[in-house]
Amino acid sequence: MSRRDGFLTHIPEADRIPFGQKLAFGAGASMSWLAADMTTGILWMPFFNIGLGISPVVLGAILMVLRLWDAFMDPVIGTLSDNTRTRWGRRRPYMFVGSILSAITYLLLWRSPAGVGESGLLAYLVVAGLLFFTFTTCSSMPFGAMQMELTPNYDERTHLMAWTTFFAKCFNLLGGWSLAIITCSLFLDPATGKPDIVRGMQAFSWVVAGLILILGLLPAIVGRERYYQKAVVRQAKEPFWKSLRESLSNGPLWGLIGVAFFLMLSGVSVGALGQYVNIYYVNGGDIAAASVIVGWKSTVLVATGIACIPMWTWLGEKFDKKAIMASMVVATMAGHLLYIFCLRPDMPYLQILPAVFEVGTISAIWIFLPSMKADVADHDELHTARRREGSLNAVYSWFFKIASTLALGIGGLVLQSTGFDAKLPAQPPEVLHRMVVIFIALPIVLWSFMLLCLWRYPLNRPRMAEIRRTLEERRGEL
């Protein structure tokens, strides 16, 4: 037994990911979040709607086109990287070039040419957006595939994802304060004295583009493709449709897709409703007071998520990932039910308590779920005799993005179903009651489907040890 990364571990030295690679891939996983998720989820509407005056309906339609294109490109780039053979490996060239072009097009996205008119502006936004999402996919899909092949060890895969979760929490904090940064006093309009969102975002975009470049290049430069020379170079290339069919027929992959699908659906579909519950039920319509609570809540949740990482990693060495995931889903349900007692107008900050309980357990899910994707790749090799991490990761990502898109639409329908009317100065009691009931009940239902998917997931620690022995007997150790 030796001490490594702060944990007692039995992982053989040959299976360990070098610490530099672990940091590079842990931080690099946040590149796609900064590039795509923060852009579309936090910055998109304020900049283009409030700043440039584009209709939110038009922006929503453009965003849908861009996200559908993004989802379409995932299996294309994933399979392409599986079939690539170069002196630098099959993943790293895409990651290197993709991160550079992503950083450049990110800057262009927020800098439309002057005097082109509304039609020209929309055309520019579509073209720049398509290029940007194409290049981010060129970087993120091979990155996700390479992350799955850094080690053959069941527990070391979890250690890697612990670092990924740590960096993700740090960058999520940046995202939480991003609007405050671009609307701060540094970017006031001299004529009106109000924040100039356009100027603020264009300045902030240099910071984000720099992070995209650094986080994208580091894994490409530092990373080493463990399976490439011994297993992949002599592996026959596989047609796109055949690879896609094999990925879609992978039973364990569908289990993880189901877990991720319902997890995303549960979070995003009631995300907006949770904000309205905070504003109208807990704070009586006082948006300023509710915003202060949100700020403190996000800071506390990031700190909680980071603090829980060592415990989840330690538990991951003692038990099966599947068992821990199921336990965490049950614990998340229990924490969420605390809202029944903690949504109190007389004690508005009490709502942070169930949120802390939830985020602590959901952090564990995001540690183990990507780790289990690497286990699925071993299961896939057992049946196909190929290393196809790119295709598997792309199919998983495709359904994850579909869940995200569906959740945004469902979120609007959920809010509408409560009878909420923004024109009213105060919402009727029956509307507030429906908002609270749906906010509490809907995630419980969706998390129940997650438990069903986990129950049907077949890969545990003994099974993975058996698969590894069989693979090494067939093609040797990697």
Side-chain angles (χ1 to χ4, degrees):
M1 302 284 281
S2 63
R3 188 172 294 274
R4 178 79 171 207
D5 295 344
F7 305 105
L8 285 176
T9 178
H10 55 279
I11 298 171
E13 191 65 32
D15 288 352
R16 296 186 189 279
I17 304 170
F19 189 63
Q21 286 191 44
K22 196 174 290 185
L23 289 181
F25 276 84
S30 293
M31 180 270 200
S32 62
W33 184 87
L34 289 168
D37 298 281
M38 187 173 78
T39 297
T40 59
I42 299 175
L43 303 172
W44 180 269
M45 283 295 182
F47 180 83
F48 292 109
N49 176 237
I50 299 174
L52 298 183
I54 302 175
S55 163
V57 176
V58 174
L59 288 172
I62 292 175
L63 191 57
M64 182 174 292
V65 170
L66 297 181
R67 295 303 275 177
L68 288 174
W69 173 256
D70 184 29
F72 167 78
M73 289 299 296
D74 282 356
V76 174
I77 299 300
T79 304
L80 186 62
S81 74
D82 280 343
N83 287 330
T84 296
R85 308 288 184 268
T86 75
R87 58 183 293 186
W88 302 283
R90 55 178 177 166
R91 317 289 188 198
R92 296 168 66 206
Y94 293 101
M95 294 160 59
F96 189 90
V97 175
S99 60
I100 294 173
L101 295 178
S102 295
I104 294 172
T105 50
Y106 186 85
L107 293 172
L108 296 177
L109 189 64
W110 311 103
R111 289 165 173 80
S112 56
V116 295
E118 184 176 354
S119 298
L121 175 60
L122 296 179
Y124 176 86
L125 182 55
V126 170
V127 173
L130 289 175
L131 288 173
F132 173 67
F133 279 102
T134 299
F135 296 141
T136 56
T137 301
C138 285
S139 177
S140 63
M141 282 299 103
F143 171 88
M146 189 172 170
Q147 193 177 45
M148 294 163 63
E149 56 185 300
L150 291 178
T151 176
N153 189 275
Y154 185 82
D155 291 318
E156 184 71 344
R157 288 167 174 170
T158 302
H159 284 194
L160 171 63
M161 296 317 304
W163 281 105
T164 297
T165 303
F166 168 77
F167 284 108
K169 294 295 181 184
C170 296
F171 287 112
N172 284 347
L173 188 60
L174 173 65
W177 288 100
S178 59
L179 284 180
I181 293 172
I182 67 176
T183 58
C184 72
S185 59
L186 293 174
F187 308 112
L188 295 180
D189 186 332
T192 64
K194 295 181 179 180
D196 186 340
I197 292 178
V198 173
R199 192 160 64 94
M201 183 59 229
Q202 289 177 347
F204 185 61
S205 66
W206 286 101
V207 176
V208 180
L211 289 172
I212 289 172
L213 182 64
I214 294 169
L215 297 179
L217 288 179
L218 269 178
I221 295 171
V222 176
R224 293 294 178 267
E225 299 185 30
R226 185 180 189 113
Y227 297 159
Y228 185 70
Q229 292 296 335
K230 293 185 178 180
V232 176
V233 171
R234 61 177 181 268
Q235 177 178 298
K237 296 182 180 180
E238 190 171 43
F240 173 79
W241 292 111
K242 180 183 177 183
S243 180
L244 186 60
R245 283 196 304 270
E246 289 180 339
S247 297
L248 290 173
S249 64
N250 188 302
L253 179 64
W254 278 106
L256 299 188
I257 288 172
V259 172
F261 186 90
F262 288 111
L263 181 59
M264 173 58 70
L265 212 59
S266 65
V268 178
S269 62
V270 297
L273 182 59
Q275 292 178 331
Y276 283 78
V277 168
N278 177 34
I279 294 169
Y280 292 97
Y281 180 79
V282 177
N283 287 281
D286 188 339
I287 297 178
S291 298
V292 172
I293 295 174
V294 170
W296 281 110
K297 180 179 177 180
S298 63
T299 303
V300 170
L301 296 188
V302 167
T304 302
I306 291 175
C308 289
I309 291 173
M311 179 172 61
W312 302 142
T313 310
W314 178 79
L315 287 173
E317 292 189 351
K318 305 299 179 184
F319 305 99
D320 288 331
K321 300 170 191 177
K322 172 181 175 178
I324 296 176
M325 286 266 285
S327 301
M328 291 305 101
V329 174
V330 173
T332 299
M333 289 178 169
H336 186 75
L337 289 174
L338 290 176
Y339 277 114
I340 296 173
F341 311 102
C342 295
L343 290 175
R344 295 180 53 174
D346 61 327
M347 300 178 66
Y349 282 89
L350 192 61
Q351 62 182 295
I352 295 179
L353 176 61
V356 167
F357 201 101
E358 273 187 61
V359 78
T361 52
I362 288 179
S363 294
I365 296 173
W366 287 122
I367 288 176
F368 293 109
L369 191 58
S371 173
M372 293 160 77
K373 277 197 300 179
D375 298 338
V376 167
D378 287 352
H379 175 274
D380 181 77
E381 185 190 358
L382 183 68
H383 291 85
T384 67
R386 295 181 180 89
R387 298 301 306 187
R388 304 182 321 105
E389 292 89 351
S391 179
L392 295 169
N393 183 58
V395 169
Y396 171 92
S397 176
W398 191 87
F399 280 98
F400 187 81
K401 290 173 181 177
I402 291 297
S404 175
T405 304
L406 283 176
L408 290 172
I410 292 173
L413 293 174
V414 166
L415 183 60
Q416 185 177 1
S417 71
T418 66
F420 175 82
D421 187 349
K423 298 178 181 178
L424 297 176
Q427 301 301 314
E430 61 272 17
V431 171
L432 295 175
H433 177 71
R434 279 195 293 270
M435 290 168 66
V436 172
V437 169
I438 295 175
F439 172 69
I440 294 175
L442 182 58
I444 298 294
V445 174
L446 295 173
W447 288 330
S448 298
F449 286 107
M450 285 176 60
L451 285 175
L452 178 62
C453 293
L454 283 170
W455 177 67
R456 296 179 60 85
Y457 179 76
L459 303 181
N460 53 22
R461 186 184 294 274
R463 177 57 179 153
M464 290 309 304
E466 179 185 345
I467 288 175
R468 181 175 180 180
R469 284 194 300 270
T470 303
L471 291 176
E472 290 181 348
E473 289 171 359
R474 177 198 295 175
R475 43 86 165 138
E477 296 183 8
L478 299 177

